[in-house]
Amino acid sequence: MPPSTYSYNSEQTENRANGTNQNQPKIKSVAELVDIDTEKYERKLKSIKVRARSELDFFEWSKHGYAKNNYWISPFADKVPRIEESKVSREEFIEKYEAPGLPVVVTGCTKGWPAEVKWNRETLLKKFEAYRFKIGEDDDGNPVRMQFKYYLHYLENEAVRDDSPLYIFDSSFGRLKKSSQLAAKGPKDEPFEIRDKSFEVPKKQYRRPCLLRDYKVPKYFDDDLFRFTGEKRPPYRWFVLGGARSGTGMHSDPLGTSAWNTLLVGHKRWCLFPPSTPRKIIDPKMQGLDHEAVSWFTHVFPSLVKVHKGQEKSCAEKFGMVQVLQKPGETMFVPGGWYHVVMNLDFTIAVTQNFCSPTSIENVWLRTRNARPKLAQKLLNKLTKLSNIGGTRHDKEFYVDLVKKIKTLDTVPAFFESSTSSSSSSSSSSSSSSFVDDYELEVSETQSDTEVSDGECRCYSCKMKRKRRIRKEKTERSVQREELEKQKRDEQQTIGVIGSKGKRNHDKNTNVEVKDKKRRKRL
């Protein structure tokens, strides 16, 4: 258990003692709102757990007993500065935090967001109860999805005991394709019965939920240069929802990008380390344990904050670790290169995005040039074009300076992206009332969520090409194997009938016949 065990349970107990919660309506369970096919749910859950984490047996999800631990921290352990979006200008934010690469919590970003009202368990269940959100990937890199109603039912039951529960981390929530199917009949699903008659389901729903209109990008992060790369850009925004102890393990964001994470519901616990921190110190190999956030906070965090004999400071103080207790309505800014681990302390709903700002273009360009050369060239071509004609947001001189910065990096030697980096970061200004930028409606994400160190493209199209090639090679190898096995069986049958000596004579005669046939064909 972590050293700091502050919990809001004491506050909740005090509130109940004062009678403040007596008049609050009882929260209905998912099974009371919609019909849950128990047999189908159990079958689906077992299949999903096996696919999402094949290294675990279905009955080993709660073997460590992490659900008994208290992972809340005192608000006094959170020393990261907080700024109000309406009181701090963009220029001041860049000067004090983005340019020097310092994390900061921004408040007030969610004022006026429809998500403040719409993003809750009941409203999302009404709109997307039959939609399958992504909760992980299988061993082949294919997305593992789960119906939203079943996922919420899982959070109320098995997830309470699981060490590290399943976690919705979906990058396809911004696609705008509608479905003509009724919400009461999900794709390939049986009709379901509404148990609560006041819980009305709309006649139509999105096959891919579009939640872009429910929020807007905070003003500090809306100048994302990767918007110029089109649909081939890596996944960059995610809708995240999960229960206590779910989260993402230690990682840094891919391609040197920065990230922001806005929390609408619940609380998150963060630990962040500067880019200069040795990875092997903060993310050691833990035999018998996984790479989940809850495992890190249980086994690694206590050793980092402990002061050993002969030392004046702990490793956490030495390397500059910072902790954050993120609350609803707060936006966490993670500078590029910072290692971070994030864990949900209770039921949380958030939106997060990676971005490349003009301030960090040099670091991002170096990594993109080597990991995704085609993407880097496309960005450079677009910036070069804008340096001649200018853009709607900046004039020509602004883009000329960016191109000059990139050109000066031509002589910098290549270095590759760490293979342990992940774009599953726990990490979107539009003047329109819909809160959607023009380019947001045009740019879609790929299905992949990771980059690899050798520059191999992980977009959905390339992944499918590689799978088809591998499948074809496997088929060819299996055919060859079957032919060899058949040939061996025939030889054994021949030897059993005519003996070894007869077999040699038979092969000799066969070879003579084959040679005669070839000779006659030549004639």
Side-chain angles (χ1 to χ4, degrees), residues 98 220-221 224 257-260 333 353-357 360:
E98 186 176 18
Y220 305 134
F221 319 121
D224 184 6
T257 56
S258 303
W260 61 268
F333 167 65
Q353 177 173 323
N354 288 15
F355 66 97
C356 169
S357 71
S360 59

Side-chain angles (χ1 to χ4, degrees), residues 241-252:
L241 184 150
R245 298 180 307 284
S246 61
T248 54
M250 182 63 68
H251 68 282
S252 63

Side-chain angles (χ1 to χ4, degrees), residues 174-193:
R175 300 181 180 178
L176 300 177
K177 293 183 179 180
K178 290 184 179 180
S179 171
S180 59
Q181 297 180 5
L182 295 178
K185 291 187 179 181
K188 298 181 181 178
D189 199 6
E190 308 87 14
F192 60 84
E193 174 191 356

Side-chain angles (χ1 to χ4, degrees), residues 159-228:
V160 177
R161 301 181 296 273
D162 286 351
D163 292 330
S164 180
L166 297 170
Y167 188 24
I168 289 180
F169 217 105
D170 199 311
S171 64
S172 62
F173 70 96
R175 300 181 180 178
L176 300 177
K177 293 183 179 180
K178 290 184 179 180
S179 171
S180 59
Q181 297 180 5
L182 295 178
K185 291 187 179 181
K188 298 181 181 178
D189 199 6
E190 308 87 14
F192 60 84
E193 174 191 356
I194 303 298
R195 292 189 175 180
D196 185 356
K197 300 304 179 182
S198 63
F199 190 80
E200 297 179 358
V201 179
K203 293 182 179 180
K204 292 185 179 181
Q205 70 172 13
Y206 286 106
R207 180 181 302 168
R208 296 187 177 114
C210 180
L211 302 172
L212 296 179
R213 303 184 188 279
D214 294 342
Y215 73 95
K216 68 175 181 180
V217 182
K219 66 179 182 180
Y220 305 134
F221 319 121
D222 60 358
D223 195 5
D224 184 6
L225 297 180
F226 270 161
R227 69 182 184 271
F228 296 129

Side-chain angles (χ1 to χ4, degrees), residues 282-519:
I282 60 175
D283 191 20
K285 294 182 179 180
M286 299 180 290
Q287 294 184 356
L289 298 173
D290 49 34
H291 193 69
E292 300 297 316
V294 65
S295 299
W296 189 91
F297 279 106
T298 304
H299 300 280
V300 180
F301 176 81
S303 63
L304 291 176
V305 298
K306 182 179 180 180
V307 180
H308 299 278
K309 287 185 178 181
Q311 296 182 349
E312 297 180 357
K313 295 182 178 180
S314 64
C315 288
E317 294 175 313
K318 179 181 177 182
F319 294 116
M321 181 192 80
V322 294
Q323 295 191 72
V324 178
L325 178 61
Q326 188 183 14
K327 305 176 185 67
E330 294 184 338
T331 299
M332 183 70 204
F333 167 65
V334 183
W338 276 68
Y339 297 105
H340 52 284
V341 56
V342 194
M343 183 174 65
N344 299 320
L345 298 175
D346 49 14
F347 177 74
T348 61
I349 304 176
V351 60
T352 181
Q353 177 173 323
N354 288 15
F355 66 97
C356 169
S357 71
T359 306
S360 59
I361 181 62
E362 293 170 297
N363 186 38
V364 175
W365 171 261
L366 284 174
R367 295 178 179 274
T368 308
R369 182 189 66 182
N370 300 296
R372 296 291 294 272
K374 292 183 180 179
L375 182 73
Q377 188 60 45
K378 190 171 185 178
L379 176 59
L380 178 58
N381 293 342
K382 183 64 177 180
L383 294 177
T384 303
K385 182 178 179 180
L386 292 172
S387 67
N388 297 323
I389 61 176
T392 57
R393 189 182 183 94
H394 302 287
D395 55 17
K396 294 191 296 184
E397 287 71 19
F398 177 84
Y399 294 105
V400 168
D401 291 339
L402 290 181
V403 174
K404 287 181 179 179
K405 287 182 179 180
I406 293 175
K407 292 294 186 182
T408 58
L409 301 175
D410 289 344
T411 57
V412 177
F415 65 95
F416 292 99
E417 186 78 355
S418 172
S419 60
T420 53
S421 295
S422 169
S423 63
S424 297
S425 169
S426 297
S427 35
S428 298
S429 137
S430 172
S431 59
S432 64
S433 60
S434 64
F435 294 156
V436 184
D437 292 338
D438 294 336
Y439 70 86
E440 298 241 37
L441 298 178
E442 300 173 356
V443 178
S444 61
E445 310 84 12
T446 59
Q447 291 289 342
S448 171
D449 285 353
T450 56
E451 291 293 328
V452 288
S453 59
D454 58 359
E456 185 182 66
C457 181
R458 294 295 302 276
C459 71
Y460 180 77
S461 177
C462 293
K463 285 170 66 176
M464 292 306 297
K465 288 180 181 178
R466 286 193 292 272
K467 288 179 181 179
R468 286 193 291 268
R469 185 180 68 250
I470 294 173
R471 192 180 300 115
K472 183 179 179 181
E473 292 174 353
K474 286 184 177 179
T475 303
E476 293 177 350
R477 287 197 297 268
S478 62
V479 171
Q480 293 175 358
R481 195 182 305 113
E482 290 177 357
E483 291 179 350
L484 290 175
E485 292 177 353
K486 182 180 179 181
Q487 184 177 356
K488 289 181 180 179
R489 288 195 300 270
D490 293 341
E491 290 179 355
Q492 291 176 356
Q493 291 177 358
T494 304
I495 292 174
V497 174
I498 61 177
S500 302
K501 187 174 181 180
K503 171 68 167 52
R504 289 193 295 270
N505 294 333
H506 173 75
D507 292 341
K508 184 177 180 181
N509 296 333
T510 303
N511 292 334
V512 171
E513 293 178 358
V514 171
K515 290 180 181 179
D516 291 341
K517 289 182 179 179
K518 290 182 179 180
R519 181 173 57 80

Side-chain angles (χ1 to χ4, degrees), residues 84-87 107-114 116 216 329 435:
E84 177 71 30
E85 186 188 35
S86 60
K87 297 180 180 179
T107 61
C109 296
T110 62
K111 290 182 179 179
W113 284 16
E116 279 192 312
K216 68 175 181 180
F435 294 156

